[in-house]
Amino acid sequence: MTPFSHSLAQSVGSLNETTLISCIHNWLGRATPPPPAGIGDDCAVLPAVQGSPLLTIDPVVYGKHFDDSLPPEQVAAKLLKRNLSDIAAMGGRPHAAVLGLMLSANLSMTWLERFFEGLKVSSLTYKTHIVGGDICSAEGRTFAATLTLYGEASRPVQRLGGQPGDRVAVTGHLGGSLLGKHAAFIPRLTEGQWLAARPEVKAMMDLTDGLAKDLPAMLPPQACARLDTASVPLDEAAGRMAERSGQSPLYHACCDGEDYELLVILDGQADLSPLLEAWSRDFDLPLTLIGKFADASPETDGHLTDAANGNILFPRGGYQHLSGQ
Amino acid sequence: MTPFSHSLAQSVGSLNETTLISCIHNWLGRATPPPPAGIGDDCAVLPAVQGSPLLTIDPVVYGKHFDDSLPPEQVAAKLLKRNLSDIAAMGGRPHAAVLGLMLSANLSMTWLERFFEGLKVSSLTYKTHIVGGDICSAEGRTFAATLTLYGEASRPVQRLGGQPGDRVAVTGHLGGSLLGKHAAFIPRLTEGQWLAARPEVKAMMDLTDGLAKDLPAMLPPQACARLDTASVPLDEAAGRMAERSGQSPLYHACCDGEDYELLVILDGQADLSPLLEAWSRDFDLPLTLIGKFADASPETDGHLTDAANGNILFPRGGYQHLSGQ
């Protein structure tokens, strides 16, 4: 469904700002509390939290993060879940979000209502209030939504903290997200909180740009990441992408991005059996050991390498945001 | 100065994302702390606050909030200060901000560097760390920056809370902001905190859309706002605007928007002399009584009226965001 309408009467351009905000208020329903905790005051007043406050920001933009093929409800869900995945990667819990909208006058009211229906359902599902926002007009065919998510973590787990000798694990299956998972993924909030409570966990991030780019981002200086390529849990979509592209399924698992699985660095000095057994009891989702951090040579410093032969894997792999490749 | 460059080598399109983020990191300098408190992790980890946490979001967009005539440093300052003004209106203190950028490949690196220089200076001035963000590419000639500001207030003062009989006051001078103040204003943080600590203050907001729209937004049901039109503190720019437009200076003071002064509702039961005297001792900026809230007739319900004759003032006045008028 396209976000834009040829009929002015069915477009946001037919409304004034107060009316549009009133519509949004109605569409969000229970997902927004009364002011000052919700929409309607200069700032949203948030509840005080026990742990460390967390803040993250991510957008969805028409033509970049979605197109006419994605239902508006899923566009909204993707927007919230991209941010939730960042909270998950710190081992945190979400609380509240504010939304910045840029939209052209020809944006369809039907599309926008369905977008907010999706945002309501997703925010109720993930216990995240929508507490405020801003709307501004734009030219052409524009829908850009920027969401800022506020949360907390008892122990915020960072990206950095791993050392040579530490083990690398990943949740779920990787690759081929463009075939559906990029919009239908589940942010690993429960799993992230569970992992943050384990002392064996030294660092985490969520896989948004692919192993080939994200795992090197977790390395300390003078280290490399050795990947046991045979152990990488391939999504069946990685295989389908490989049939189309002529690349290997492993290439897609390492370079596609938008898996939104957790990449976890585990203490190499610890016996990991109790953690892995406890995980299996608590979750159906796999947690797979896929490699380790090691001291690097000048050639392998900062790189993802194949543990079997030491070769650098996909040196320019992973999603490049500015070029969109 | 235009944000866009004809030379690819001098545009952001010549860089990959990692390099651009590294530039931004350098440009911001002391305005961004090391991760996880600053740029570089999945979420920014914020310091715990004593009072109520506050969250607000506002953008600046090329062609809408600024054009080639505004220096890039002032674009950045305006972005931060628009959000600071919302914190000021709740009587709060700012702490940290995240920045979402949408930019086209032809955005000039020189312009962007000067934008971040302005953001650094402003955020150091107002003690606000830039702790994270997101960059995404856009088509055409695009620069859109959305800033989310996190703060706290000991006593968050809301927009609503005034009753018939309460007095209306405003800081500073109003009108003609387009002639300069829209970018050069000072967010009234100190004044907002001072006012929030006074029991006579029942409600506040910042004047962004003009008295004609913002004062009615503070009214309880079945009430109107009576304006002593002669007492409205006119900015000299309101007079200059009136010479151009043929409207009255009062029209510009009520309908121009972007004054970013505080609109304050004071308890009508209280003796206000001690507050006004204490204000005069502490600030050079005027705090002017300009009217009161009163019971409304069905005709005047929810309106701004002229205290002299009861007529409704500028019924469609104030800035309309979607139409840009």
Side-chain angles (χ1 to χ4, degrees), chain B residues 66-305:
Chain B
F66 73 97
D67 59 21
D68 294 348
S69 70
L70 202 66
E73 294 85 354
Q74 282 200 42
V75 175
K78 179 171 181 174
L79 173 62
L80 181 63
K81 291 191 298 181
R82 294 185 74 192
N83 283 281
L84 288 168
S85 185
D86 285 329
I87 297 278
M90 307 287 285
R93 287 168 294 281
H95 283 291
V98 290
L99 179 66
L101 288 179
M102 280 182 63
L103 34 85
S104 47
N106 58 354
L107 190 81
S108 151
M109 281 295 285
T110 307
W111 191 95
L112 191 62
E113 178 171 4
R114 288 183 53 186
F115 173 87
F116 274 100
E117 172 66 20
L119 191 60
K120 176 175 76 175
V121 169
S122 302
S123 56
L124 291 173
T125 301
Y126 292 105
K127 297 182 172 50
T128 304
H129 281 135
I130 307 297
V131 298
D134 180 82
I135 302 171
C136 91
S137 60
E139 301 300 311
R141 290 161 68 84
T142 305
F143 179 85
T146 302
L147 190 126
T148 305
L149 186 56
Y150 170 80
E152 73 164 310
S154 307
R155 171 204 169 202
V157 182
Q158 300 178 230
R159 289 182 179 191
L160 298 181
Q163 295 295 328
D166 287 342
R167 306 289 295 274
V168 179
V170 67
T171 62
H173 298 90
L174 308 184
S177 67
L178 199 60
L179 299 182
K181 193 180 183 187
H182 77 102
F185 69 93
I186 298 170
R188 302 304 186 191
L189 284 161
T190 313
E191 294 84 356
Q193 291 157 26
W194 188 98
L195 288 162
R198 299 289 309 206
E200 302 95 327
V201 173
K202 295 177 71 173
M204 278 201 295
M205 76 181 284
D206 69 325
L207 271 171
T208 53
D209 295 338
L211 271 180
K213 192 169 159 198
D214 291 335
L215 190 48
M218 304 184 83
L219 286 170
Q222 283 96 50
C224 66
R226 289 192 187 146
L227 195 67
D228 298 322
T229 55
S231 69
V232 174
L234 301 173
D235 198 288
E236 55 84 24
R240 284 191 283 143
M241 283 291 278
E243 286 170 20
R244 298 182 185 191
S245 70
Q247 299 279 1
S248 65
L250 180 68
Y251 171 88
H252 288 286
C254 289
C255 300
D256 280 356
E258 297 218 67
D259 279 311
Y260 300 103
E261 295 293 349
L262 295 176
L263 192 53
V264 190
I265 310 304
L266 296 161
D267 188 347
Q269 308 289 316
D271 173 10
L272 299 180
S273 308
L275 180 144
L276 295 170
E277 284 162 21
W279 176 277
S280 297
R281 278 195 304 275
D282 290 354
F283 300 106
D284 290 330
L285 187 77
L287 177 69
T288 312
L289 294 172
I290 59 169
K292 56 166 55 176
F293 282 0
D295 291 315
S297 67
E299 288 72 32
T300 60
D301 185 12
H303 283 284
L304 180 65
T305 65

Side-chain angles (χ1 to χ4, degrees), chain A residues 17 36 41-46 53-56 58-59 64 86 89 133-134 137 148 150 158-159 205-206 213 321, chain B residues 17 36 41-46 53-56 58-59 64 86 89 134 137 148 150 158-159 205-206 213 321:
Chain A
E17 184 201 10
D41 224 305
D42 291 290
C43 300
V45 178
L46 305 171
L54 302 177
L55 201 60
T56 187
D58 259 319
K64 184 166 173 68
D86 285 328
D134 181 82
S137 60
T148 305
Y150 171 78
Q158 300 178 230
R159 290 183 179 190
M205 77 181 285
D206 69 325
K213 191 169 159 197
H321 291 257
Chain B
E17 185 201 10
D41 223 304
D42 291 291
C43 299
V45 178
L46 305 170
L54 303 177
L55 201 60
T56 188
D58 259 319
K64 184 166 174 67
D86 285 329
D134 180 82
S137 60
T148 305
Y150 170 80
Q158 300 178 230
R159 289 182 179 191
M205 76 181 284
D206 69 325
K213 192 169 159 198
H321 291 258

Side-chain angles (χ1 to χ4, degrees), chain A residues 1-5 62 67-70 108 111 141:
Chain A
M1 181 184 181
T2 187
F4 308 102
S5 169
Y62 179 72
D67 58 23
D68 294 349
S69 70
L70 202 66
S108 152
W111 191 94
R141 291 162 66 85

Side-chain angles (χ1 to χ4, degrees), chain A residues 39 41 51 63 79 81 87 89 94 100 109 123 140 148 160 176 196-197 211 221 258 260 271-272 279 286 297 301:
Chain A
I39 296 171
D41 224 305
L79 173 61
K81 291 192 299 181
I87 298 279
M109 282 296 284
S123 56
T148 305
L160 298 180
L211 272 180
E258 296 218 69
Y260 299 104
D271 173 10
L272 299 179
W279 176 277
S297 67
D301 185 13

